Amino acid sequence: CYSGLFISQYQMSNIDLDVIKQKMEEGQTPFKKLIMCNLGNPCGVGQKEITFVRQLISSCLCPDLMKQNVFPADVCNRATRILDACSGKNTGSYQATQGIEPILRDVADYISLQDGFKCDKDSICLTNGAHDAVMQILRPIIRSQYDAVLTPRPGFPMFGALINYFGGKEVFYDLDKENDWKFSKSNLEDTLAECRQKGLIPRAIVQINPSNPTGAVQTEQDISDILQFAYSNSILVIADQVYQHNIYDPKKFPFISCRKVLYELNQKGLCLGQELISINSVSKSCYGECGRRGGYFQLENVCPLVVKQLLDIISLGATNTDGMIAIDVLVNPPKQNEPSYKLWHCEYYTILKELQGKAIYIAAEMQSWKGITCVAPQGAMYVFPEIHVSQKKIDQAKQQGILADDLYCRDLLHNVGVIVLPGNMFGQKDGTYHFRMTILPHKNELTELLKRWKAFHNKWMEVEAQ
């Protein structure tokens, strides 16, 4: 077998729960329900879908419904516009490699409006979610075992898994926890020195904004520093921006796209020709349509011959139509003068407000617990607390062949029934221990959960101190 198959590790969801579920059914656990706080999977934990997305997909799948006055006029108009651009006017057909034409135009208009700089639809490719976008980008970048991709630590483990799978090397640059997990220019220079010392060739740098798992939102200066670093070292920038709509204090911590900063630098004569690929997805934001597999990437300054060949390779597969339709709503929601606007606005901003409230509530609650430091997330849908673990627990975990944060998460699962992920999955400095928890379950469920969790935590910390 290909060696990269066994080097890759991405076990975020492959958790064997059969034994625990069996014990739970037999009444042998101190809890009656498992609470899934391990994945950013909103619809999987009860988040209500946005009606307009489902109506639009339904209209495109079953056009006869539009003749029965089932859906509002703006849904039918949008569906007709999309169907007219589909091959055979049918969503079951193969679509153009880059995507359905009116949806590409809507994505380009969205980017143009957001950044203040015109975006060409031909620079966009619709994809089967962000994961496929990353795979399509990384594969041609990595040529050998000496090619390195710089990723943030902590960061999203999908990048490391794919880099290893394609035979490259992942090299971390540390985010600054003392500065709310923001970017650190000096840490990046240290990473570059590490690459050179190991004989590696840095090919790309990954920027995740807002951050998964920390929820930090990068400043314009942070982004400018990354772009100028990349330009100085001839490195491609991959901007993972799938949480750009999950911003909880936009006045204090606004989302600023990497592309916008690049164009502003260009106006000053800086970073001219810098290669940038930006990624977005409908799996996050307030839609949470993970199962739709809708995403896109947008290219800046990438060689046209490379783009042509990349699209040729992408055409070997097919991008699913439902995901493209969902993306269209992400970038072009109902307008104020349209029939669906009122309901869409109510549903969307109710979800956003709830996420904002839960982010503040969970971080403040955990920050008050003994032995935990929790930075309040500014965006995304996670908290990433640090557990201050005693040497006794570290030694206990080591005897079992695991790390202390693995031990904490395992004990938490068996005693409280909540599934969170250990910080070592996302990268953390040696000697520090964290866990990542989603903020997605309902507020009432979280309130009850945190009461039981706090009791467990206090007992766990007391035992370790003895």
Side-chain angles (χ1 to χ4, degrees):
C1 287
Y2 171 58
S3 60
L5 178 66
F6 298 100
I7 297 172
S8 299
Q9 296 291 327
Y10 181 59
Q11 298 181 346
M12 295 187 67
S13 56
N14 300 325
I15 302 171
D16 187 358
L17 300 174
D18 290 344
V19 174
I20 291 177
K21 287 179 179 179
Q22 181 65 35
K23 288 183 178 180
M24 193 166 56
E25 290 173 4
E26 295 171 354
Q28 297 179 22
T29 57
F31 49 85
K32 298 180 180 179
K33 177 184 177 182
L34 285 173
I35 301 177
M36 312 295 285
C37 290
N38 56 320
L39 295 178
N41 185 23
C43 292
V45 292
Q47 178 175 300
K48 188 181 182 302
E49 65 276 5
I50 301 289
T51 302
F52 189 82
V53 178
R54 300 299 177 91
Q55 288 181 337
L56 183 59
I57 292 173
S58 299
S59 298
C60 290
L61 288 174
C62 302
D64 286 347
L65 291 174
M66 292 189 282
K67 302 174 184 177
Q68 301 173 23
N69 296 319
V70 175
F71 300 127
D74 55 337
V75 172
C76 297
N77 291 338
R78 180 89 67 100
T80 300
R81 174 176 175 253
I82 291 171
L83 285 169
D84 283 347
C86 289
S87 177
K89 296 189 176 184
N90 194 310
T91 59
S93 58
Y94 286 127
Q95 308 305 334
T97 300
Q98 287 182 250
I100 300 169
E101 181 81 8
I103 299 177
L104 288 170
R105 288 200 300 268
D106 285 346
V107 175
D109 289 345
Y110 164 77
I111 295 172
S112 300
L113 181 63
Q114 174 184 254
D115 296 348
F117 298 95
K118 184 172 177 55
C119 176
D120 187 338
K121 68 177 178 60
D122 292 334
S123 69
I124 298 160
C125 184
L126 304 181
T127 62
N128 290 316
H131 179 273
D132 266 24
V134 174
M135 288 190 73
Q136 290 160 359
I137 293 163
L138 284 179
R139 187 63 196 97
I141 290 171
I142 297 170
R143 305 161 302 182
S144 76
Q145 61 184 329
Y146 299 106
D147 283 342
V149 178
L150 314 185
T151 66
R153 183 170 67 176
F156 188 39
M158 174 190 70
F159 286 100
L162 290 176
I163 292 163
N164 289 329
Y165 181 68
F166 292 137
K169 292 289 189 297
E170 179 183 30
V171 183
F172 296 117
Y173 65 90
D174 286 314
L175 301 177
D176 185 359
K177 184 185 178 184
E178 304 308 316
N179 189 26
D180 293 341
W181 295 113
K182 292 293 196 300
F183 170 76
S184 167
K185 190 175 180 179
S186 62
N187 286 349
L188 197 50
E189 294 293 347
D190 291 342
T191 299
L192 182 62
E194 179 186 346
C195 278
R196 288 170 175 163
Q197 184 179 12
K198 293 180 177 179
L200 300 175
I201 303 167
R203 297 277 289 159
I205 179 170
V206 174
Q207 178 230 24
I208 307 176
N209 183 36
S211 168
N212 175 7
T214 71
V217 177
Q218 293 180 1
T219 66
E220 185 171 354
Q221 186 60 57
D222 292 334
I223 301 167
S224 176
D225 286 344
I226 289 174
L227 287 166
Q228 292 188 69
F229 169 85
Y231 182 77
S232 298
N233 294 282
S234 301
I235 299 173
L236 164 72
V237 175
I238 302 171
D240 177 350
Q241 301 176 158
V242 301
Y243 294 100
Q244 61 185 268
H245 294 281
N246 297 89
I247 300 292
Y248 303 134
D249 190 350
K251 290 184 179 179
K252 190 175 181 182
F253 302 110
F255 169 76
I256 303 169
S257 81
C258 208
R259 179 179 180 273
K260 176 182 174 65
V261 178
L262 176 60
Y263 271 76
E264 289 173 346
L265 287 169
N266 288 172
Q267 288 182 327
K268 301 174 184 176
L270 301 172
C271 296
L272 298 174
Q274 171 61 45
E275 292 177 312
L276 168 66
I277 304 179
S278 304
I279 300 168
N280 198 1
S281 166
V282 77
S283 297
K284 310 306 175 186
S285 71
C286 291
Y287 296 98
E289 295 278 2
C290 300
R292 300 292 154 208
R293 307 315 302 144
Y296 67 82
F297 63 78
Q298 191 272 331
L299 305 163
E300 292 291 338
N301 301 314
V302 177
C303 173
L305 290 176
V306 173
V307 176
K308 181 180 179 181
Q309 184 61 25
L310 179 60
L311 292 175
D312 191 46
I313 297 298
I314 291 172
S315 71
L316 293 172
T319 302
N320 84 89
T321 312
D322 287 6
M324 296 191 215
I325 297 167
I327 279 290
D328 195 58
V329 181
L330 175 74
V331 300
N332 185 24
K335 304 294 190 297
Q336 269 190 291
N337 61 343
E338 293 179 330
S340 298
Y341 176 77
K342 187 174 181 180
L343 177 59
W344 170 83
H345 187 275
C346 177
E347 291 177 339
Y348 185 92
Y349 285 98
T350 295
I351 293 171
L352 184 61
K353 186 176 180 181
E354 288 175 352
L355 288 172
Q356 178 188 41
K358 288 185 287 188
I360 295 170
Y361 166 65
I362 295 171
E365 172 64 22
M366 288 188 170
Q367 179 66 17
S368 71
W369 296 357
K370 178 182 178 182
I372 278 192
T373 302
C374 187
V375 177
Q378 301 155 2
M381 50 183 63
Y382 314 99
V383 290
F384 193 65
E386 180 177 2
I387 323 161
H388 302 286
V389 185
S390 71
Q391 188 60 48
K392 182 178 179 180
K393 283 290 186 185
I394 294 171
D395 293 341
Q396 180 184 342
K398 188 175 181 180
Q399 289 172 0
Q400 299 176 44
I402 57 178
L403 295 173
D405 46 356
D406 292 310
L407 181 64
Y408 183 89
C409 294
R410 188 193 66 186
D411 290 351
L412 178 67
L413 171 59
H414 286 277
N415 288 276
V416 183
V418 60
I419 306 171
V420 298
L421 298 176
N424 63 73
M425 272 192 178
F426 304 89
Q428 57 192 1
K429 285 187 175 182
D430 291 343
T432 66
Y433 304 96
H434 302 76
F435 62 85
R436 191 195 75 168
M437 172 195 179
T438 67
I439 61 173
L440 296 173
H442 192 274
K443 176 70 180 293
N444 292 337
E445 187 172 53
L446 284 171
T447 301
E448 189 276 333
L449 166 64
L450 289 175
K451 288 179 181 178
R452 293 188 291 115
W453 190 336
K454 183 178 181 180
F456 156 80
H457 176 79
N458 287 338
K459 185 175 180 181
W460 199 85
M461 298 298 286
E462 287 172 5
V463 169
E464 74 162 32
Q466 292 175 1

